[in-house]
């Protein structure tokens, strides 16, 4: 009888061992399967260096964007340098980390994007022994499918719309680095109803790297009360390179003789502190159009 019990116990031990091995084998298989699934996640990642400068510092540097409204809110905080296709947001969320550095010669790379309990950016940097004396601004971007991040925590990431940016900015022509450029749109839209027109002008603040575009509509209301309405088309932050280009052109036009060699009746007007000048020269106007086009397309 003891011998039978020993054989029975041995059989039970073998069966139990087999079950344990089978359990761990399936468990490892599931783990490996999950790892394989994670490795197949398609994350678009990239980095972008600009030479933008923001005087008003924001204490947050990590953002997640899950709608077109949030994308526009991000552009209002910084700029539209990312130029992201809005349709990406139909099935994805955009994660952006921003970083300002003291030299454009310092290079960064978004090496990896880890997804565990949250989203983690792994950055690599390369800094030369002697750096250039110019500011740089970096955007690190990851576009991640929504189904991948539905159960993770985003405590370190914020929505752009949650940032309350100071909106007390008021443009004043109180510096030699501030200009107002009025286009010739007024002349092109002038009506025979007593003088109705649409005008566009740019408030250019090179001290703070800001440009505000304003559209003004004037309705003569012949026989009634004239009405004027103004709308801010956009407020943009420009980079240092464009800042210098604008400064060079506007100062050159303000300090040189304007020769109306083509009998042009449609002028641009440049205003700076204590000075104003109408520009009729077609070559000068074309240069102004080029620089304004660069601002519009930023």
């Amino acid at each position: 009888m003891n011998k039978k019990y020993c054989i029975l116990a041995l059989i039970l031990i073998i069966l139990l061992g087999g079950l344990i091995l089978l359990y761990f084998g399936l468990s490892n298989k599931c783990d490996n399967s999950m790892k394989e699934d994670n490795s197949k996640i398609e994350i678009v990642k990239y980095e972008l260096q600009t030479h933008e400068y923001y005087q008003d510092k924001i204490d947050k540097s990590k953002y997640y964007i899950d709608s077109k409204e949030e994308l526009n809110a991000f552009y209002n905080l910084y700029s539209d340098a990312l130029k992201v296709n809005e349709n990406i947001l139909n099935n994805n969320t955009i994660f952006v980390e921003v970083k300002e550095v003291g030299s454009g010669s310092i290079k960064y790379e978004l090496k990896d994007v880890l997804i565990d309990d949250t989203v983690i950016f792994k950055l690599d940097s390369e800094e030369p022994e002697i750096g250039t004396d110019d500011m740089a601004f970096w955007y690190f971007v990851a576009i991640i499918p929504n189904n991948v991040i539905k159960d993770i925590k985003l405590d370190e990431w914020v929505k752009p719309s949650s940032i309350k940016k100071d909106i007390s900015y008021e443009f004043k022509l109180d510096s030699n680095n501030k200009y107002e450029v009025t286009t010739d749109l007024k002349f092109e839209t002038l009506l025979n109803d007593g003088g109705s027109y649409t005008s566009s002008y740019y408030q250019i603040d090179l001290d703070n790297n800001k440009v505000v575009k304003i559209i003004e509509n004037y309705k003569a209301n012949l026989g009634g009360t004239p009405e004027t309405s103004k709308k801010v088309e956009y407020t943009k932050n420009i980079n240092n390179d464009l800042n210098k280009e604008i400064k060079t052109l506007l100062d050159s036009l303000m300090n040189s003789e304007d020769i109306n060699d083509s009998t042009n009746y449609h002028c641009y007007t440049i205003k700076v502190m204590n000075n104003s000048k109408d520009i009729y020269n077609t070559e000068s106007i074309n240069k102004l159009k080029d620089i304004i086009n660069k601002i519009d397309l930023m």
Side-chain angles (χ1 to χ4, degrees):
M1 291 291 293
N2 289 338
K3 187 176 181 180
K4 289 182 180 179
Y5 283 124
C6 288
I7 293 172
L8 183 59
L10 182 60
I11 292 172
L12 289 173
I13 290 171
I14 293 171
L15 289 173
L16 182 59
L19 289 172
I20 292 172
L21 289 173
L22 180 62
Y23 170 79
F24 281 108
L26 290 173
S27 178
N28 288 334
K29 185 176 181 181
C30 288
D31 288 343
N32 290 334
S33 175
M34 290 177 66
K35 290 177 182 177
E36 288 175 5
D37 288 342
N38 285 333
S39 67
K40 293 177 182 177
I41 296 172
E42 292 187 7
I43 298 176
V44 177
K45 60 180 177 65
Y46 61 93
E47 60 283 326
L48 173 67
Q49 182 195 42
T50 72
H51 290 282
E52 298 165 325
Y53 171 75
Y54 299 99
Q55 186 178 38
D56 302 324
K57 308 300 181 185
I58 302 174
D59 61 357
K60 299 294 184 182
S61 62
K62 297 181 178 181
Y63 303 90
Y64 71 97
I65 300 165
D66 57 3
S67 68
K68 296 177 182 178
E69 290 74 20
E70 290 298 334
L71 182 60
N72 289 327
F74 181 83
Y75 289 160
N76 287 332
L77 291 178
Y78 297 100
S79 76
D80 60 354
L82 297 183
K83 300 191 183 302
V84 175
N85 187 333
E86 292 182 346
N87 294 329
I88 287 175
L89 292 164
N90 293 338
N91 300 302
N92 302 276
T93 296
I94 304 169
F95 288 80
V96 184
E97 183 174 349
V98 298
K99 187 178 184 67
E100 183 182 89
V101 294
S103 174
S105 60
I106 303 174
K107 301 302 179 185
Y108 286 90
E109 180 185 2
L110 179 51
K111 196 70 174 179
D112 201 3
V113 178
L114 304 180
I115 300 176
D116 193 0
D117 293 331
T118 186
V119 175
I120 301 171
F121 281 8
K122 294 293 184 181
L123 305 180
D124 274 0
S125 64
E126 182 179 334
E127 185 172 350
E129 292 184 7
I130 301 176
T132 55
D133 186 20
D134 60 329
M135 299 290 290
F137 197 83
W138 286 84
Y139 297 90
F140 306 100
V141 184
I143 301 172
I144 306 176
N146 290 334
N147 63 317
V148 175
I149 58 169
K150 61 182 179 181
D151 295 323
I152 67 173
K153 298 177 182 177
L154 298 176
D155 297 341
E156 294 184 2
W157 301 83
V158 298
K159 288 188 174 184
S161 62
S162 69
I163 304 297
K164 304 303 178 185
K165 194 175 183 181
D166 182 16
I167 57 173
S168 61
Y169 173 80
E170 181 181 355
F171 177 81
K172 293 181 180 179
L173 283 171
D174 55 5
S175 159
N176 287 325
N177 285 322
K178 294 182 180 179
Y179 307 82
E180 187 171 275
V181 177
T182 303
T183 72
D184 60 358
L185 182 63
K186 175 180 178 178
F187 302 99
E188 295 178 356
T189 59
L190 199 61
L191 300 178
N192 267 337
D193 63 350
S196 296
Y197 64 82
T198 298
S199 176
S200 68
Y201 59 94
Y202 295 76
Q203 297 174 333
I204 301 172
D205 181 353
L206 300 183
D207 285 331
N208 296 295
N209 278 17
K210 288 182 183 292
V211 177
V212 181
K213 180 180 180 181
I214 297 174
I215 302 296
E216 177 181 287
N217 288 296
Y218 173 74
K219 293 183 179 179
N221 288 335
L222 199 59
T225 303
E227 297 178 2
T228 301
S229 63
K230 296 182 181 181
K231 181 184 75 170
V232 175
E233 185 83 359
Y234 63 67
T235 300
K236 288 186 177 181
N237 293 291
I238 61 173
N239 59 48
N240 292 334
D241 290 338
L242 187 53
N243 182 310
K244 293 176 183 177
E245 189 176 349
I246 293 170
K247 176 71 175 172
T248 300
L249 175 62
L250 295 185
D251 284 354
S252 173
L253 295 178
M254 291 297 292
N255 295 319
S256 61
E257 182 183 1
D258 183 70
I259 301 174
N260 189 359
D261 54 355
S262 59
T263 318
N264 177 29
Y265 296 102
H266 293 186
C267 69
Y268 273 54
T269 300
I270 304 174
K271 293 181 181 179
V272 67
M273 186 175 63
N274 302 323
N275 199 2
S276 177
K277 187 174 183 178
D278 293 332
I279 307 296
Y280 289 92
N281 182 270
T282 53
E283 183 179 352
S284 297
I285 286 176
N286 286 334
K287 290 179 180 179
L288 282 169
K289 286 181 177 180
D290 287 343
I291 205 77
I292 285 173
N293 191 49
K294 286 184 181 182
I295 298 170
D296 284 339
L297 294 178
M298 274 193 66

